[in-house]
Amino acid sequence: MSGRVLAAIAALFLVLGLVAAGTAAAQPAGGDAPSVTIQATPGAGVSTASRDIATGSGAGMAILFWALALGTVGGAAFVLTRRNLIAAVMGMVGTFLALAGLYMMLYASFLAVIQMLVYAGAIMVLFVFVIMVLNRPEDEPWGMVGLPGKALAGLAMLYLLVRLVMLVWSVNVPDTALVAPAAVAFPGDAAHTVYEFGSTAAVGTSLFSDYLFPFEAISILLLIAVVGAIAVARPLNDADELPGAQPPAPTGGH
Amino acid sequence: MLYTRLALQLQAFTPAGLAIALALGFCGLFTLLAVAVGPKSVNPEKLKPFECGSEPIGSPRGRYSVKFYQVAILFLVFDIEAAFMYPWALLFTKLSTTPAAGPGLPTGVGIFGFVEMLLFVIVLVVALTYVWRKKAIGWE
């Protein structure tokens, strides 16, 4: 039991180690290759106005991508193979963190930070609480049993696989896919401040101008989530606890 | 060549990567050292769960009250609310500045950004009030 938890933590460390190694490998190597000048913009976090960086970091970026891809798939495989649910959640956190790294490679640094804060932080907490609430020794994973069930599951997986392959086949990657998208300018701004695409400031610029109504609608959505949370945990007929459930574990007994 | 701009952008996160690498390196190193070098004497008494010297009461695998889950969802909601304030705070100066009336004239101060976030927060204050009235925060 604890061995599996240790294995989960070790896997998490491995993923993070790969991320760190990839980050280090992403350092542009010095050399006398032709260089490009890049104008640093506010929000990019680069202090110097412009820098020359050498080419030759493509291999490092490829290593970074494959390390993160391995971390994502490895974490998912870890989740699938664990019988200990807490260990599975740890594998899921590894997947989330590797995904955050992939988002960062897609110029979505704000999304990457949110991925870490909300998914690796809050959603993980939610999963752990679900496991704690539903924790019963007799709970066995529900599965398709018998030949018809297995045939149905197999067909469903085959359908999913075919659709995925069709999707990958149909996507036509343009040559400019690896070039950073255009920076975002703030509307009505006299100074024409531009922000690096995907940065927090650029996301905010879109959110608070073009997508103002969806932004305000999010607050309604969050309100609905609060009402749902209250409704799902309301007492049934003044009986505070479900019959058979243990009372809340005493806390602070140290 | 195509990757160079991305490399520059990721370079800004090098300190964070370095901090993660160092933290994991030290944690892993000392864990491995403890496993490899530390003395081991295994007996049934030492493998028992330890709870401040007391005898464990019941199974740690029991079910918990659903209220913990409720608290987790409420935390998630207000966590996401805070996440939306992050870009807003970064752009607040920009959102509070009105364009100048003409070239050379100073820019004005507006309440656009303030009202935007005020509307957002008011709805969530309604949510907080609802939670409060339903006595979901607070424990019996």
Side-chain angles (χ1 to χ4, degrees):
Chain A
M1 187 69 72
S2 62
R4 283 180 177 173
V5 175
L6 271 179
I9 295 166
L12 185 63
F13 275 34
L14 184 69
V15 169
L16 286 169
L18 284 173
V19 172
T23 312
Q27 287 299 304
D32 45 13
S35 62
V36 288
T37 306
I38 291 171
Q39 199 71 30
T41 52
V46 182
S47 55
T48 48
S50 67
R51 300 176 81 136
D52 288 340
I53 57 166
T55 55
S57 57
M61 298 308 283
I63 290 169
L64 181 58
F65 170 76
W66 285 108
L68 290 170
L70 198 70
T72 309
V73 177
F78 191 81
V79 172
L80 288 176
T81 52
R82 286 316 94 177
R83 284 186 79 82
N84 182 347
L85 292 172
I86 298 290
V89 168
M90 290 302 134
M92 193 184 69
V93 171
T95 296
F96 285 158
L97 291 176
L99 263 181
L102 285 175
Y103 287 152
M104 207 163 264
M105 288 190 75
L106 291 167
Y107 298 94
S109 47
F110 179 65
L111 189 62
V113 171
I114 293 297
Q115 168 82 11
M116 279 189 256
L117 284 180
V118 175
Y119 278 82
I123 301 281
M124 184 269 290
V125 168
L126 217 56
F127 271 80
V128 169
F129 273 111
V130 167
I131 290 163
M132 283 166 69
V133 167
L134 296 177
N135 203 350
R136 278 193 299 171
E138 66 266 31
D139 272 348
E140 278 298 309
W142 183 86
M144 294 271 191
V145 285
L147 195 61
K150 279 180 179 157
L152 191 66
L155 279 176
M157 288 310 295
L158 193 67
Y159 174 74
L160 192 66
L161 190 69
V162 167
R163 291 307 298 254
L164 272 172
V165 169
M166 280 169 69
L167 184 70
V168 171
W169 203 259
S170 67
V171 170
N172 194 11
V173 181
D175 291 340
T176 54
L178 291 170
V179 181
V184 177
F186 201 82
D189 181 21
H192 294 299
T193 314
V194 288
Y195 299 111
E196 190 84 17
F197 179 88
S199 68
T200 308
V203 170
T205 301
S206 297
L207 197 62
F208 296 113
S209 55
D210 296 338
Y211 299 100
L212 181 54
F213 181 72
F215 166 70
E216 300 292 353
I218 285 165
S219 63
I220 308 282
L221 189 67
L222 290 175
L223 175 64
I224 294 166
V226 165
V227 173
I230 303 291
V232 85
R234 74 189 185 283
L236 295 166
N237 303 326
D238 296 328
D240 209 2
E241 299 289 335
L242 285 169
Q246 287 185 359
T251 52
H254 295 272
Chain B
M1 191 68 178
L2 287 170
Y3 285 112
T4 47
R5 182 156 175 200
L6 181 57
L8 182 67
Q9 196 180 8
L10 287 180
Q11 208 179 4
F13 295 98
T14 305
L18 201 62
I20 291 171
L22 278 175
L24 288 179
F26 276 112
C27 289
L29 179 69
F30 287 117
T31 309
L32 284 178
L33 278 178
V35 169
V37 184
K40 287 176 219 50
S41 73
V42 179
N43 57 61
E45 200 62 33
K46 287 187 85 170
L47 290 173
K48 274 173 144 180
F50 178 77
E51 192 170 347
C52 304
S54 328
E55 289 291 318
I57 313 157
S59 165
R61 293 268 149 189
R63 277 190 293 169
Y64 290 79
S65 169
V66 75
K67 282 188 172 182
F68 286 104
Y69 183 63
Q70 192 181 39
V71 170
I73 296 178
L74 293 177
F75 159 69
L76 186 64
V77 166
F78 292 106
D79 188 39
I80 289 168
E81 179 197 3
F84 278 104
M85 284 181 175
Y86 179 40
W88 174 77
L90 201 65
L91 289 167
F92 186 69
T93 313
K94 202 116 284 198
L95 290 165
S96 306
T97 310
T98 53
L105 291 173
T107 54
V109 175
I111 56 164
F112 179 63
F114 178 70
V115 171
E116 265 182 332
M117 190 44 83
L118 192 67
L119 287 173
F120 186 78
V121 168
I122 280 174
V123 177
L124 283 158
V125 166
V126 171
L128 186 63
T129 315
Y130 180 74
V131 170
W132 202 291
R133 292 284 296 272
K134 286 281 175 186
K135 297 187 171 58
I137 45 178
W139 202 273
E140 301 302 295

